[in-house]
Amino acid sequence: MPAYRAPLANHHADRSLCPPEHKHTSSGKPLHPDCPGRSYSQAVCTCGGWEIKNSGKGYVNESRKRHLATHPKPASNGLAILRELLRLDLP
């Protein structure tokens, strides 16, 4: 089972990606001289069935965390290997 991800991305008003090095105030106003400001934040899950887009970065981040918590945790490969090693094949 894959580990699902829903990365958080910030965007400018023209829908272009706002790079991580563009820092903002909590309201989205730019602190970087070349940044027009954060217009909205977006998260899209790799499951293909969920996405959110909102002007509130904190809201998007909380929603993203809640959604990811609905996916089952992937089984660790280490346990599967250990199980195979400890398996007893009785005749």
Side-chain angles (χ1 to χ4, degrees), residues 5 12-14 17 19 22-24 32 36 42 44 54 56-58 65-67 71 73-74 80-82 87 89:
R5 296 179 56 244
H12 301 131
D14 65 359
L17 190 63
H22 286 190
K23 301 299 178 193
H24 308 91
H32 190 277
Q42 183 176 22
V44 179
N54 192 282
K57 180 181 176 182
K65 289 177 184 177
R66 272 194 305 270
H67 170 73
H71 290 296
K73 302 247 188 245
I81 292 169
L82 183 60
R87 189 204 244 158
D89 291 328

Side-chain angles (χ1 to χ4, degrees), residues 35-48:
C35 183
R38 181 181 67 231
S39 179
Y40 65 93
S41 295
Q42 183 176 22
V44 179
C45 186
T46 55
C47 73

Side-chain angles (χ1 to χ4, degrees), residues 14-32:
D14 65 359
R15 296 185 176 179
S16 64
L17 190 63
C18 187
E21 58 269 10
H22 286 190
K23 301 299 178 193
H24 308 91
T25 63
S26 59
S27 65
K29 292 184 177 138
L31 296 173
H32 190 277

